[in-house]
């Protein structure tokens, strides 16, 4: 048994999973036209904390052609519109064991957009059906792509699922959203993965947008750094445990005075102390749907979907 797995690891994942289930339910309840993204973000993130867990990344609330990585910044005035596909992607962790899960809300129930939701969700279900020891990761991708293309849509090929390790959200191994044979790792007992199909009518690739609202601590620097910056850097690393964060978290915990947050983050980006995640936009501007669950294989080979009842 690897040293970073303790015997209660499945229970820890289940605890993290319960927190994201509750946060997703709350997101569905709160999401109505005219509601601030910021209100959904603050309440859903608090729901994770109310379940005795911490955030493993800031909530992503991504509309239509934005596939991922929009998280409302401090003071955001964005409102939920009347129609469209709103993706809510939320993550918790308990003692470093991460649950990562997403839903897409079809705001006005439009039947054409509903097809996008069903494509991604059925793709996810088909992958979960094959989630047993011995399955190759690209076989999961094949199952996902079959469900999506059956509905006249395309999977997003440069996004996909990922292995989870303690305090590591993206741990290397990748679950493609199509039969991409270089991803030939085999599922085995003790593994945890987030599986996340995306469906679109566009080209099926995402590109980086201009803006970034999510950051991650990557490396300490001790040379050519002011005393204040050193202090902010150490607090930032300790608070975020090198998991992705929103500037909102720094405001909430008073790590950096609010008026200085943007400037300090830009300095830290230049010094390679932190990295940023740009918003990801479908190349042709087509709408995108996403569903995601965290799936754990216990040491007896049983599959546990931590984010599904
Ligand atoms: Mn996610
Ligand atoms: Mn994920």
């Amino acid at each position: 048994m690897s040293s970073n797995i303790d015997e209660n690891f499945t229970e820890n994942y289940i605890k993290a999973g319960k927190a994201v289930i509750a946060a997703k339910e709350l997101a569905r309840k709160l999401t109505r036209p005219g509601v601030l993204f910021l209100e959904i973000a603050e309440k859903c993130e608090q729901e994770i904390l109310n379940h005795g867990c911490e955030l493993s990344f800031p909530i992503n609330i991504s509309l239509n052609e934005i596939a991922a990585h929009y998280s409302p910044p401090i003071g955001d005035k964005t409102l939920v519109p009347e129609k469209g596909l709103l993706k809510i992607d939320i993550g918790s962790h308990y003692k470093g064991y991460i649950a990562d899960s997403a839903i897409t809300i079809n705001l006005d129930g439009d039947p054409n957009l509903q097809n996008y939701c069903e494509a991604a969700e059925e793709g996810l279900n088909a992958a979960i059906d094959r989630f047993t020891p011995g399955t190759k990761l690209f076989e999961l991708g094949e199952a996902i792509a079959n469900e999506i293309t059956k509905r006249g849509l395309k999977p997003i090929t440069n996004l996909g699922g990922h292995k989870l390790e303690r305090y590591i959200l993206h741990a290397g191994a990748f679950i493609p959203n199509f039969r991409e044979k270089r991803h030939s790792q085999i599922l085995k007992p003790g593994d945890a993965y987030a599986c996340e199909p995306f469906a679109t009518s566009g080209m099926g690739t995402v590109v980086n947008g201009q803006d970034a609202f999510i950051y991650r601590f990557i490396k300490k620097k001790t040379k050519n750094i002011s005393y204040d910056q050193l202090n902010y850097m150490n607090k930032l690393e300790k608070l975020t445990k090198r998991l992705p964060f929103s500037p909102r978290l720094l405001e909430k915990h008073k790590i950096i005075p609010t008026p200085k947050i943007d400037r300090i983050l830009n300095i830290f980006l230049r010094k390679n102390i932190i990295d940023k995640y740009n918003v990801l936009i479908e190349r042709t501007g087509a709408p995108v749907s996403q569903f995601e669950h965290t799936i754990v294989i216990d040491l007896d080979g049983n599959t546990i979907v931590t984010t599904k009842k």
Side-chain angles (χ1 to χ4, degrees):
M1 200 189 298
S2 127
S3 61
N4 64 352
I5 295 179
D6 73 49
E7 0 180 339
N8 295 323
F9 82 101
T10 47
E11 284 164 42
N12 295 339
Y13 275 117
I14 288 166
K15 185 163 165 104
K18 282 184 176 159
V20 296
I21 290 170
K24 285 190 299 180
E25 274 173 9
L26 183 58
R28 275 200 193 278
K29 214 181 291 173
L30 293 171
T31 300
R32 295 286 176 264
V35 171
L36 280 167
F37 278 26
L38 207 47
E39 181 185 341
I40 299 170
E42 283 167 358
K43 289 183 174 165
C44 292
E45 290 177 350
Q46 184 59 44
E47 187 74 4
I48 302 257
L49 306 181
N50 293 348
H51 281 73
C53 294
E54 290 177 67
L55 303 184
S56 56
F57 56 84
I59 190 170
N60 288 214
I61 307 179
S62 307
L63 183 66
N64 294 334
E65 73 278 8
I66 301 176
H69 295 174
Y70 185 86
S71 190
I74 294 167
D76 190 28
K77 297 282 183 278
T78 309
L79 301 174
V80 176
E82 297 283 334
K83 68 178 274 113
L85 292 178
L86 193 73
K87 293 159 291 291
I88 306 266
D89 191 338
I90 193 151
S92 66
H93 78 85
Y94 181 68
K95 296 181 178 171
Y97 294 89
I98 294 168
D100 175 5
S101 186
I103 55 172
T104 300
I105 299 172
N106 179 8
L107 291 169
D108 71 346
D110 177 276
N112 176 46
L113 293 178
Q114 195 58 31
N115 184 48
Y116 291 61
C117 295
E118 281 166 20
E121 192 164 22
E122 290 308 313
L124 176 57
N125 289 337
I128 291 171
D129 286 345
R130 287 159 185 76
F131 224 95
T132 50
T135 297
K136 290 180 176 154
L137 299 185
F138 71 75
E139 294 172 334
L140 301 173
E142 181 176 32
I144 289 167
N146 277 343
E147 292 299 325
I148 293 173
T149 55
K150 209 189 272 181
R151 290 164 177 81
L153 297 170
K154 287 174 204 150
I156 291 190
T157 54
N158 58 344
L159 290 176
H162 45 97
K163 196 162 194 237
L164 298 163
E165 283 172 14
R166 245 186 128 175
Y167 292 107
I168 306 175
L169 182 59
H170 292 107
F174 181 78
I175 304 177
N177 284 326
F178 68 111
R179 187 181 165 87
E180 191 177 21
K181 285 194 79 174
R182 68 192 168 99
H183 300 290
S184 58
Q185 292 95 328
I186 288 168
L187 294 177
K188 56 182 196 311
D191 281 352
Y193 280 91
C195 186
E196 50 183 314
F198 291 80
T200 185
S201 51
M203 264 185 69
T205 49
V206 290
V207 293
N208 274 347
Q210 286 249 303
D211 299 323
F213 303 101
I214 302 172
Y215 302 85
R216 185 171 63 89
F217 191 98
I218 48 171
K219 199 167 62 194
K220 271 195 174 175
K221 273 261 162 84
T222 49
K223 281 180 188 159
N224 300 319
I225 184 164
S226 73
Y227 179 77
D228 274 356
Q229 288 169 18
L230 197 67
N231 191 19
Y232 297 147
M233 180 185 74
N234 288 331
K235 285 181 175 169
L236 183 61
E237 185 189 25
K238 192 165 176 235
L239 176 71
T240 65
K241 300 185 175 73
R242 301 193 173 207
L243 288 163
F245 65 89
S246 161
R248 288 183 287 106
L249 191 76
L250 309 185
E251 180 182 54
K252 186 179 171 191
H253 290 266
K254 300 184 166 56
I255 296 293
I256 301 171
T258 305
K260 288 189 180 177
I261 289 177
D262 279 350
R263 195 169 61 83
I264 298 293
L265 291 179
N266 281 321
I267 292 168
F268 284 4
L269 278 169
R270 278 204 306 277
K271 292 183 187 289
N272 294 314
I273 293 167
I274 62 171
D275 201 359
K276 61 178 178 164
Y277 295 86
N278 285 70
V279 291
L280 297 172
I281 303 171
E282 208 286 325
R283 188 184 288 273
T284 62
V288 177
S289 62
Q290 174 206 18
F291 277 83
E292 179 177 25
H293 278 308
T294 291
I295 305 140
V296 179
I297 303 180
D298 73 14
L299 297 177
D300 299 320
N302 302 309
T303 299
I304 298 160
V305 180
T306 63
T307 52
K308 201 176 183 183
K309 281 181 185 167

